[in-house]
Each structure stands twice: as structure tokens, then as C-alpha cells.
């Protein structure tokens, strides 16, 4: 029995990978107190049949040339040589750039890609387009926090300061008396972090805080959003109504003399304007507890009791990503900050406002004094952008005007999109509309490890290596361990890493030196490591050279405990440490936002009725939250993700009372549907779900019975068939994919078999399989660390 082991890292944990005979085993990093079960997803993926084995070109594009094509998503593929694939892609990029300039090219690649800092797909794509054609149309912000990242700088400061450098878990465990979390603190979310996460510490800190007496209160339609370790209280709110609840809490605090008027006067601007709104001076509607109870489904008595629980306590107010992934998502974020201010808490140890605490493993952690640098992306020669969740609008409506953050912009006319390391058919909403949008392109080029739905819509598909098949360095600004990501296996089939692919394409375009700077991937790793090493030496911290680091596999980095520094410094000295807002204070009223004249995001926080609400036709809320068995859609075909499905389908949860009314039993296959399409899922009955709510996680690979249907049915259970493709507001145009309305019925026919992990039709497939048969887990494909370089 031969055994080899290599150190490696992922978004959900550091680990070593070991081969014993023909089996890959994953051993979590010894320093991780609470390893993630997501590591099990690596165990079966290296030679999975859904891997992309060699370059492929869509038949319709190959035969008819570039141009809009409604067959995308339902066409077959032709396996081609690397030489032919390079030639086709380089020629097409040159054609589009020559005819339309960089404004005709969209550099997609939104997504988490690799934990490795060098083989970070977004950086590779953007560097390639910047150095070869002078730029690209870019997207800004994220699907996770599109609304929050735009509004927070207007009212308090940059999101990174509020989230990544917010109040730390250590402070909470030591000082906090009440944690009021809107959207919960689910550990399934904090077990992942972009760039890597070697220590999962949230569970331990929650246990410490609870043992000390901290009161955790979760406001969410799902009881599971608060871990049992918190020993907390669940307030089962109606989805999307948190803004109304917070307004009522503010009204109660003010009316009972519990609001911290001295803090509000010294550190905030606009409190009197909001008080007038609470009292109904603008429109005659008083926003008190009785008013909110009818909206959010929590009694007036409970709302008033909650306000009393908060008064006089060291309290932190947390607002999850989920709240702002909905219509008018800016409002609960703004109001969460105002509630913390009304309690006088910002800047106190263990108190104040924390956006997205628990949403990522980065948040609530300490920062490294020096971190591993990112790959330089070069200079983008054009300033053309869209909010990331506006991709379908851009492709369907070129030349149309749109609002964004005080600007009136125009959608470009995109001819070519280049995507690597991302899967928009996971992130985006209303997938039938997204398919129609992608059909408008001349060409879609995708790098992928597997046949995702995005790859199945591409015209040229480059087979990319999986992280386990290449060298890299894993690290994040809030992770104190730097990981040498040593390869575990040879590339599957003919797969190559993005850097190799782009280097060859850049050579064909006459820009190889600009892209590579004469360095191999290993030389880039050593170069970036040396930059970090030099900065550490400047602060008298000595670390080994790159080769020594590579051999030892792990490097501990020094950190600084500066969580909450922005608001702490502001509270200590508001004159000399003002906030980066127009007033230098917390803006409860924003003259700048008022000046944008957006009816859906006025100058102070408000309650705005959502367009989508349950009715007789669609009586249920659907919550499309983050999955517990994978990161977004990554490795959905992995062992752990598949083990959490039933009959190969995603599992949805609903309350037993709702199920009984519909004649639905435990384990039944149900059809969840609305005007946009339908999905099939298996039911789990749970009293941890509020009545009137169906919960179906995102990330199941899109698997339509008819890929070209106007109202598709996904037999696998992707909720984004059903979610609405509309922005949160004119301010941020953020994603509203968290919540929609649906009907549910038992599926009494024979459910169609899931085919999400079956590759599309590929001409020459037998030849492809024959070439790949010698490069699988069962054929000694692993290489030892001694040969890794």
C-alpha cells in the first residue's frame, strides 16, 4: 500500500490529502477546532464523469460562426484539440475587440473560484483582458451583499470596515450581554471564507458567550439560523419584514424614554427626521408596535418586551446578508445601524452594529499584520460597469439607461463574455430569462472543471484543473495560517490551469510578456511570497524563504486585534476621527441619498411594501438560502453534497401544518412553482420553519427537463428558476434572490431522473474517454509532494 500526503486549502478549511491504494482521504488541519464536513466533497470528484476532459466547441457555433443563438443550453459539443481551441478563441477575441473595442467584451468570472491566491480565476481573467485588449466591461459588488455594500459608505463607512473589521467574536464572548441578530448566525455560513479558512472558531465563541450569560436572539423565519450552542431565543418573523420590526422597536425606545438621546445628538445626524416618520408626521401613519405586528407576524407585546430587553444592555445588532437580498434590501441594513445608535452602543467593546456577523468565516476575526498579496490585474482602460446582478438586463437591453448609486449609466452592447471560476446559473435569478440573455451573445467562452449549466451554455469550453491538481498558496487577510497548496493529482484528462491557458492565448495575441512578465506559475508564487516576506521583515518578523515554506506546508502569521476600530475611534474622538460620511457622523438622514431622488431609497430609512407577497395563487414564501452541504454550487457532485439529497434531489423544508393541508408527507416529491417555472424537491417536515414558508437552499445544479422552455422545470431543485430578477432599488440594483412567492403540491407522477451530473452530448466522446482512462483515481494518478514542482 502506497501512501502520499500533500498539504492543501479550500474555502471551507485547510487539510492534507492522502492516497491509500485507490482512495482519496481528507485529513482536516490539526489546528482547526471545528472542521467543516464540506471537506468530504473532495473525496470523489477528481475523476467524476461530469469533469470536462478536453476542449469542446458548441456545434451550432462551430458550424454557423459567432452570433446570437437560442440553442445555447440544448446543443451538443464537438471535442477539439487544444491548438484548435486556442486558435478559435484568440481569433474571436481579436475580432470582437477590433470591431467594438473593450466595451464589447464582458469579463465575467464572478464567483469564489479557487482558494489559492494566484490561481484566482477572476484575477486571471481580468489580467488577461487588461493586458491583451486593454480592458473589459466589469461588474461591481456581489450577489451576497450588493445592497449593503452600496448604502453603508453613505451612512457609516466602507463595508469592509463594518463587516471584516467589525466587532470580533472574542469581544462578544467577553463583553456582550445581548446579541440581536436579524437573519440569524447559522454556522453553515461561517464555515466558509474566500481565500481559505484554517480555524473554525465561531461555535466555541458562542459557547463561551452563552456560558457567561449572553442572551442570543435570532429574528428569522428559520429556527435553524441560530445554533443550539447559543442557547438563544427564536422570533419567527415573516420573511422580508425586518424593517417594519426595527421601526417599531425604535418607536418603542423613543416613546418610553429609552433611546440614548445624548449619543444620537453627538454622533448622529437626522434622528429628529426619523422620529417624525415614526410618529406619522409625514403621512399620518404611526410606526409603533401595533402597526408592525400586523406586518411581521410578531405580537405587539413581544415587540415592546424586546425593546425592554435591549434597553440598558451591552448589545450588538447584527444584520445578515439575507435581509438585503430582497426588495428594498437597503432598509433593514440602515435601520439595524440606527437601532444600535438609538441604544448608544456603537464603539463600545462587544457592542454596536455588525453587518453580516456570521455570514462568512472572515467576519468577527482578527486581521493579519501582513497578508499574501493578490495577483496584479493590470489597468482596465475603460470605465464601463454594471451592478453584478444586472447581467441579464445588460444582455437583453443594450443601450438602455439605468440608475446606480447616483449615476445614470448605459448598458453596453456585449458581443463576447469570458467566464472562469463562476457559475451564473447558480447565482442569478429567473434562469429562463438568464438563458434568453445569454442567447444574445455572439460568443461565450468558459473555463470549467465540470459541466455546470454555465459550461453547457458556452460556445468554447476550456477544461480547467481543479484546485487539487495544481500548486498555489492559500490565505486570507483574516486567517493566521498561510497554506502551501501542494498538488494531489495530475490534471484530469487534458485539463490545464487558467494561467497556462491565458499565457498561450496571450502569446497568440502578441501579448505574452505583458501577461506573464516572463514568469511561470511557480515563479509567480515565489515572487508574491517574497513581497509578503519583505513586508514582514519591515516589522521585524522573519519567516522562511519560499522553498522552506513550501516544504513545511503551513506558516503562522502575526495578527492585530483591531476589530471595530472605525466606530471605536469615532466614539472616542468624533472631532479627530470622523466617519467617512458627508457629515462625519452616522447618517440617520442622508442629504446625499435624498438628492438622488430615488422613490425606492429615500433620504431616511423607511418601510416600503414589497411587490411580492403571498396571495391565493401563490400562498407560500420561498426562502432560497445558502446550503449546508456545499459552498454555493461548488462541488455539488461531491460526496457530502450528494449524501444530503434524497433520491438525487434537493431537500426542501416546510412546517407539518402546511404540509398536512396540502396532503404532503415526509419524503414526498413536491413541485414548487410560480409564473416563472417549477422545481422538484423532496420534502422534510420541520417545526423549525415558520408556517407559510418553504425553505429550499440554493446551489443544486440547474437541470431543466426542457432547457429551451419559457417556464422550465428543474428536476434537481434549483430555486433560482423561481426567484425574481429585479434589483433591490435604484441605489444599488442588488440581488433580490432570497425571497419569492410560490405554490406547492405533491408530485404524483413518476419524477424524472436527475441528470445534472451527466455530461452533454459530445461528438468523439469515446475517444475522449479513452484518452482520459489512464488519468483517473483508479489508475495511480497521484503525485507525491517530492514531485510537486
Amino acid at each position: 500500500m502506497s501512501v502520499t500526503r500533500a498539504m492543501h486549502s479550500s474555502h471551507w478549511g485547510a487539510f492534507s490529502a492522502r492516497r491509500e491504494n485507490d482512495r482519496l482521504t481528507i485529513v482536516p488541519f490539526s489546528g482547526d477546532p471545528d472542521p467543516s464536513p464540506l471537506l468530504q466533497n473532495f473525496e470523489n470528484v477528481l475523476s467524476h464523469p461530469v469533469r470536462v476532459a478536453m476542449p469542446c466547441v458548441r456545434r451550432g457555433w462551430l458550424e454557423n460562426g459567432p452570433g446570437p443563438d437560442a440553442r445555447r443550453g440544448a446543443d451538443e459539443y464537438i471535442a477539439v484539440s487544444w491548438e484548435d481551441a486556442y486558435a478559435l478563441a484568440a481569433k474571436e477575441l481579436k475580432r470582437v475587440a477590433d470591431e467594438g473595442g473593450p466595451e464589447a467584451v464582458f469579463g465575467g468570472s464572478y464567483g469564489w473560484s479557487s482558494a489559492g491566491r494566484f490561481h484566482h480565476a477572476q484575477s486571471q481573467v481580468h489580467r488577461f483582458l487588461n493586458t491583451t485588449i486593454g480592458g473589459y466591461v466589469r461588474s461591481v459588488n456581489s450577489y451576497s451583499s450588493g445592497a449593503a455594500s452600496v448604502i453603508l459608505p453613505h451612512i457609516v463607512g466602507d463595508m469592509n470596515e463594518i463587516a471584516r473589521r467589525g466587532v470580533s467574536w472574542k469581544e462578544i464572548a467577553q463583553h456582550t450581554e445581548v446579541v440581536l441578530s436579524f437573519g440569524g448566525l447559522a454556522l453553515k455560513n461561517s464555515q466558509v471564507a474566500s481565500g481559505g479558512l484554517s480555524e473554525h472558531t465561531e461555535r466555541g465563541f458562542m459557547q463561551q458567550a452563552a456560558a457567561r450569560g449572553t442572551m442570543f436572539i435570532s429574528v428569522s423565519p428559520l429556527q435553524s439560523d441560530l445554533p443550539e450552542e447559543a442557547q438563544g431565543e427564536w422570533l419567527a418573523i415573516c420573511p422580508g419584514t425586518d424593517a417594519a420590526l426595527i421601526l417599531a422597536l425604535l418607536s418603542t425606545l423613543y416613546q418610553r424614554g429609552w433611546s440614548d438621546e445624548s449619543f444620537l445628538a453627538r454622533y448622529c445626524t437626522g434622528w429628529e427626521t426619523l422620529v417624525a416618520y415614526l410618529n406619522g408626521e409625514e403621512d399620518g401613519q404611526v410606526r409603533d408596535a401595533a402597526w408592525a405586528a400586523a406586518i411581521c407576524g410578531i405580537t405587539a407585546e413581544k415587540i415592546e418586551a424586546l425593546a425592554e430587553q435591549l434597553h440598558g444592555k451591552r448589545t450588538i445588532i447584527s444584520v445578515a446578508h439575507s435581509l438585503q437580498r430582497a426588495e428594498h434590501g437597503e432598509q433593514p441594513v440602515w435601520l439595524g445601524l440606527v437601532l444600535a445608535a438609538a441604544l448608544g452602543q456603537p464603539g463600545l467593546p462587544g457592542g454596536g452594529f455588525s453587518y453580516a456577523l456570521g455570514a462568512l468565516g472572515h467576519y468577527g476575526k482578527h486581521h493579519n499584520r501582513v497578508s499574501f498579496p493578490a495577483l496584479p490585474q493590470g489597468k482596465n482602460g475603460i470605465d464601463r460597469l454594471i451592478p453584478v446582478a444586472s447581467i441579464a438586463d445588460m444582455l437583453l437591453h443594450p443601450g438602455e439607461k439605468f440608475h446606480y448609486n447616483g449615476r445614470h449609466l448605459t448598458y453596453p452592447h456585449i458581443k463576447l463574455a469570458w467566464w472562469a471560476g463562476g457559475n451564473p446559473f447558480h447565482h442569478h435569478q429567473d434562469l429562463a430569462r438568464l438563458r434568453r440573455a445569454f442567447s444574445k451573445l455572439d460568443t461565450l467562452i468558459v473555463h470549467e472543471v465540470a459541466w455546470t449549466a454555465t459550461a453547457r451554455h458556452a460556445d468554447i469550453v476550456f477544461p480547467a484543473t481543479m484546485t487539487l491538481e495544481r500548486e498555489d498558496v492559500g490565505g486570507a487577510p483574516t486567517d493566521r495560517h498561510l497554506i502551501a497548496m501542494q498538488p494531489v493529482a495530475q490534471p484530469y484528462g487534458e485539463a490545464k490551469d487558467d494561467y497556462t491557458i491565458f499565457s498561450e492565448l496571450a502569446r497568440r495575441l502578441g501579448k505574452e510578456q505583458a501577461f506573464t512578465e516572463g514568469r511561470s506559475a511557480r515563479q509567480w508564487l515565489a515572487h508574491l511570497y517574497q513581497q509578503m516576506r519583505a513586508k514582514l521583515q519591515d516589522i521585524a518578523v522573519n519567516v522562511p524563504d519560499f522553498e522552506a515554506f513550501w516544504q513545511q506546508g503551513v506558516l503562522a502569521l502575526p495578527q492585530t486585534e483591531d476589530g471595530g476600530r472605525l466606530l471605536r475611534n469615532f466614539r472616542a474622538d468624533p472631532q479627530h476621527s470622523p466617519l467617512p460620511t458627508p457629515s462625519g457622523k452616522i447618517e440617520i438622514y442622508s442629504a446625499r441619498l435624498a438628492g438622488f431622488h430615488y422613490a425606492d431609497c429615500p433620504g431616511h430609512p423607511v418601510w416600503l411594501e414589497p411587490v411580492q407577497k403571498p396571495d391565493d395563487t401563490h400562498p407560500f414564501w420561498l426562502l432560497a438560502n445558502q446550503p449546508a452541504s456545499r459552498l454555493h454550487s461548488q462541488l455539488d457532485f461531491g460526496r457530502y453534497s450528494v449524501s444530503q439529497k434524497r433520491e438525487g434531489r434537493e431537500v426542501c423544508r416546510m412546517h407539518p401544518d402546511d404540509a398536512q393541508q396540502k396532503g404532503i408527507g415526509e419524503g414526498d416529491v413536491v413541485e414548487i412553482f410560480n409564473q416563472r417555472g417549477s422545481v422538484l424537491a423532496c420534502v422534510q417536515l420541520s417545526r423549525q420553519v415558520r408556517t407559510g414558508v418553504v425553505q429550499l437552499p440554493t446551489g443544486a445544479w440547474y437541470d431543466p427537463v426542457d432547457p429551451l422552455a419559457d417556464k422550465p422545470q428543474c428536476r434537481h431543485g434549483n430555486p433560482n428558476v423561481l426567484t425574481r430578477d429585479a434589483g433591490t432599488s435604484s441605489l444599488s440594483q442588488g440581488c433580490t434572490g432570497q425571497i419569492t412567492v410560490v405554490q406547492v403540491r405533491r408530485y404524483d407522477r413518476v419524477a424524472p431522473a436527475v441528470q445534472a451530473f451527466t455530461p452533454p452530448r459530445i461528438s468523439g466522446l469515446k475517444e475522449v474517454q479513452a484518452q482520459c482512462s489512464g488519468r483517473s483515481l483508479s489508475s495511480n494518478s497521484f503525485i507525491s509532494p517530492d514531485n510537486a514542482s
Side-chain angles (χ1 to χ4, degrees):
M1 178 180 71
S2 61
V3 177
T4 60
R5 178 183 294 192
M7 196 66 199
H8 214 74
S9 184
S10 71
H11 297 306
W12 44 90
F15 60 95
S16 61
R18 176 189 300 170
R19 172 185 171 246
E20 300 182 45
N21 292 331
D22 294 329
R23 184 183 178 191
L24 176 66
T25 60
I26 302 296
V27 179
F29 175 52
S30 60
D32 190 346
D34 187 23
S36 170
L38 269 62
L39 290 173
Q40 298 171 37
N41 278 330
F42 284 121
E43 294 176 355
N44 67 313
V45 296
L46 282 169
S47 60
H48 195 284
V50 81
R51 290 290 304 271
V52 181
M54 67 187 304
C56 291
V57 182
R58 187 174 63 82
R59 179 179 288 279
W61 190 92
L62 193 62
E63 293 178 348
N64 302 321
D69 192 340
R71 292 172 294 176
R72 287 193 177 100
D75 210 348
E76 70 173 339
Y77 286 84
I78 310 296
V80 300
S81 69
W82 272 104
E83 285 301 312
D84 287 343
Y86 284 141
L88 290 168
K91 179 181 178 181
E92 177 62 358
L93 179 61
K94 186 176 187 305
R95 178 190 74 83
V96 172
D98 286 348
E99 294 178 2
E103 292 88 350
V105 177
F106 183 69
S109 303
Y110 172 83
W112 285 52
S113 61
S114 167
R117 295 298 79 206
F118 175 71
H119 290 293
H120 180 241
Q122 292 177 54
S123 299
Q124 294 284 345
V125 173
H126 297 165
R127 180 179 176 86
F128 169 71
L129 295 174
N130 284 335
T131 55
T132 56
I133 65 170
Y136 60 94
V137 176
R138 72 189 193 276
S139 63
V140 296
N141 308 325
S142 73
Y143 281 89
S144 295
S145 59
S149 60
V150 175
I151 195 167
L152 282 171
H154 289 291
I155 60 175
V156 62
D158 182 76
M159 193 183 87
N160 279 327
E161 280 294 327
I162 305 304
R164 287 204 182 208
R165 291 189 183 270
V167 178
S168 71
W169 277 109
K170 182 179 179 180
E171 273 190 80
I172 292 171
Q174 293 175 342
H175 301 288
T176 307
E177 293 177 90
V178 179
V179 177
L180 176 58
S181 178
F182 294 92
L185 298 165
L187 290 174
K188 67 178 176 60
N189 297 333
S190 58
Q191 70 179 327
V192 300
S194 56
L197 182 64
S198 63
E199 297 172 300
H200 296 83
T201 57
E202 289 79 7
R203 191 188 309 273
F205 281 125
M206 282 189 197
Q207 291 172 323
Q208 291 177 35
R212 188 179 52 79
T214 301
M215 179 185 302
F216 286 87
I217 304 170
S218 175
V219 181
S220 170
L222 306 176
Q223 186 176 12
S224 56
D225 277 345
L226 188 66
E228 292 182 4
E229 287 81 358
Q231 302 175 36
E233 180 182 0
W234 175 36
L235 298 183
I237 194 171
C238 291
T241 63
D242 302 79
L245 172 59
I246 301 174
L247 286 166
L249 290 171
L250 290 167
S251 176
T252 303
L253 291 172
Y254 178 74
Q255 294 299 334
R256 298 197 177 182
W258 293 340
S259 53
D260 191 330
E261 296 296 321
S262 61
F263 182 92
L264 290 162
R266 185 180 186 194
Y267 296 101
C268 304
T269 182
W271 172 241
E272 64 283 352
T273 302
L274 186 62
V275 168
Y277 175 73
L278 296 173
N279 291 337
E281 295 176 21
E282 294 182 10
D283 56 7
Q285 176 63 67
V286 176
R287 277 87 182 177
D288 59 8
W291 164 81
I295 296 171
C296 67
I298 299 173
T299 66
E301 293 76 16
K302 182 58 189 174
I303 294 172
E304 292 170 346
L306 177 58
E308 187 172 5
Q309 285 177 286
L310 302 176
H311 172 56
K313 302 289 196 312
R314 180 62 54 85
T315 300
I316 188 162
I317 307 297
S318 175
V319 175
H321 280 330
S322 57
L323 271 65
Q324 54 88 68
R325 295 182 69 247
E327 294 179 61
H328 317 305
E330 297 83 4
Q331 302 309 311
V333 176
W334 198 347
L335 284 164
L337 173 66
V338 176
L339 180 57
L343 294 167
Q345 297 297 299
L348 293 174
F353 173 70
S354 181
Y355 173 71
L357 181 70
L360 289 172
H362 291 313
Y363 301 163
K365 294 284 204 311
H366 303 309
H367 269 65
N368 297 332
R369 295 181 67 187
V370 175
S371 293
F372 195 80
L375 175 70
Q377 297 181 15
K379 179 175 175 57
N380 191 337
I382 63 171
D383 182 23
R384 297 297 300 274
L385 62 88
I386 63 165
V388 68
S390 297
I391 175 70
D393 290 326
M394 175 185 71
L395 296 177
L396 290 170
H397 303 292
E400 289 192 10
K401 297 283 188 179
F402 67 97
H403 290 283
Y404 171 70
N405 202 13
R407 301 173 67 183
H408 206 194
L409 304 174
T410 304
Y411 288 125
H413 195 168
I414 299 297
K415 295 291 188 179
L416 182 151
W418 206 303
W419 223 283
N423 182 12
F425 279 84
H426 158 70
H427 291 291
H428 204 69
Q429 288 66 59
D430 194 348
L431 295 184
R433 185 173 188 262
L434 182 65
R435 180 194 64 79
R436 293 193 295 272
F438 273 114
S439 73
K440 302 296 184 182
L441 288 164
D442 280 6
T443 302
L444 173 61
I445 300 175
V446 169
H447 302 200
E448 254 302 352
V449 303
W451 284 102
T452 65
T454 303
R456 294 169 197 256
H457 285 78
D459 299 305
I460 300 174
V461 182
F462 287 115
T465 51
M466 192 171 284
T467 175
L468 294 169
E469 299 163 341
R470 61 187 181 230
E471 295 182 341
D472 213 329
V473 172
T478 52
D479 190 353
R480 68 189 184 98
H481 293 107
L482 194 70
I483 307 296
M485 298 172 64
Q486 301 157 346
V488 176
Q490 293 178 353
Y492 176 77
E494 295 186 8
K496 302 179 186 293
D497 63 67
D498 296 323
Y499 183 70
T500 298
I501 296 170
F502 284 133
S503 296
E504 178 60 27
L505 289 166
R507 183 183 69 80
R508 289 173 176 268
L509 294 166
K511 300 290 186 177
E512 182 180 15
Q513 179 61 31
F515 177 73
T516 68
E517 298 184 21
R519 296 188 183 96
S520 66
R522 167 58 79 95
Q523 289 170 332
W524 267 109
L525 291 175
H527 173 70
L528 296 172
Y529 180 89
Q530 182 55 38
Q531 289 181 346
M532 180 197 71
R533 188 182 184 212
K535 289 182 179 179
L536 286 168
Q537 289 174 337
D538 288 343
I539 59 172
V541 176
N542 292 314
V543 297
D545 63 21
F546 177 76
E547 291 302 327
F549 157 70
W550 193 258
Q551 290 301 316
Q552 71 187 39
V554 182
L555 177 67
L557 298 173
Q559 294 195 309
T560 181
E561 297 188 9
D562 63 351
R565 63 182 185 181
L566 179 71
L567 288 168
R568 184 180 63 244
N569 293 340
F570 169 62
R571 185 181 187 115
D573 192 344
Q575 296 300 317
H576 291 92
S577 299
L579 297 178
T581 61
S583 65
K585 299 181 178 182
I586 294 171
E587 302 225 347
I588 300 174
Y589 173 84
S590 168
R592 179 193 289 161
L593 291 178
F596 294 161
H597 303 293
Y598 295 148
D600 52 6
C601 192
H604 65 79
V606 295
W607 164 251
L608 296 168
E609 286 283 342
V611 172
Q612 290 192 115
K613 292 185 291 186
D615 55 26
D616 291 341
T617 304
H618 302 106
F620 292 98
W621 293 107
L622 177 70
L623 290 187
N625 65 343
Q626 294 304 311
S629 60
R630 57 189 169 262
L631 168 57
H632 295 314
S633 66
Q634 284 192 30
L635 303 186
D636 187 30
F637 58 100
R639 178 164 290 138
Y640 184 68
S641 181
V642 171
S643 74
Q644 303 303 299
K645 302 177 190 286
R646 292 186 184 178
E647 301 177 17
R649 261 173 268 278
E650 268 316 288
V651 174
C652 69
R653 294 194 299 160
M654 60 189 306
H655 195 279
D657 293 350
D658 292 331
Q660 184 178 24
Q661 291 180 10
K662 290 290 183 178
I664 295 170
E666 176 73 24
D668 283 350
V669 176
V670 295
E671 184 177 22
I672 308 170
F673 61 97
N674 61 18
Q675 65 271 33
R676 287 176 281 277
S678 68
V679 303
L680 301 182
C682 282
V683 165
Q684 177 186 2
L685 304 182
S686 174
R687 295 189 180 277
Q688 291 192 332
V689 179
R690 181 190 166 89
T691 55
V693 171
V694 177
Q695 178 257 324
L696 178 65
T698 61
W701 282 14
Y702 181 47
D703 186 23
V705 174
D706 177 2
L708 303 183
D710 289 335
K711 296 181 179 180
Q713 180 183 80
C714 177
R715 53 200 156 198
H716 193 199
N718 186 323
N720 279 329
V721 170
L722 309 170
T723 50
R724 181 168 170 260
D725 187 7
T728 53
S729 76
S730 301
L731 177 72
S732 69
Q733 303 290 353
C735 159
T736 58
Q738 183 78 13
I739 304 172
T740 192
V741 293
V742 296
Q743 179 60 279
V744 183
R745 62 189 170 208
R746 190 176 63 202
Y747 194 77
D748 290 327
R749 289 172 285 170
V750 176
V754 174
Q755 298 182 27
F757 307 140
T758 301
R761 299 185 308 277
I762 305 174
S763 295
L765 181 59
K766 290 184 179 179
E767 292 82 356
V768 174
Q769 290 174 330
Q771 291 184 39
C772 297
S773 63
R775 299 183 180 184
S776 66
L777 281 175
S778 61
S779 59
N780 197 28
S781 67
F782 294 88
I783 56 179
S784 69
D786 293 339
N787 297 323
S789 61

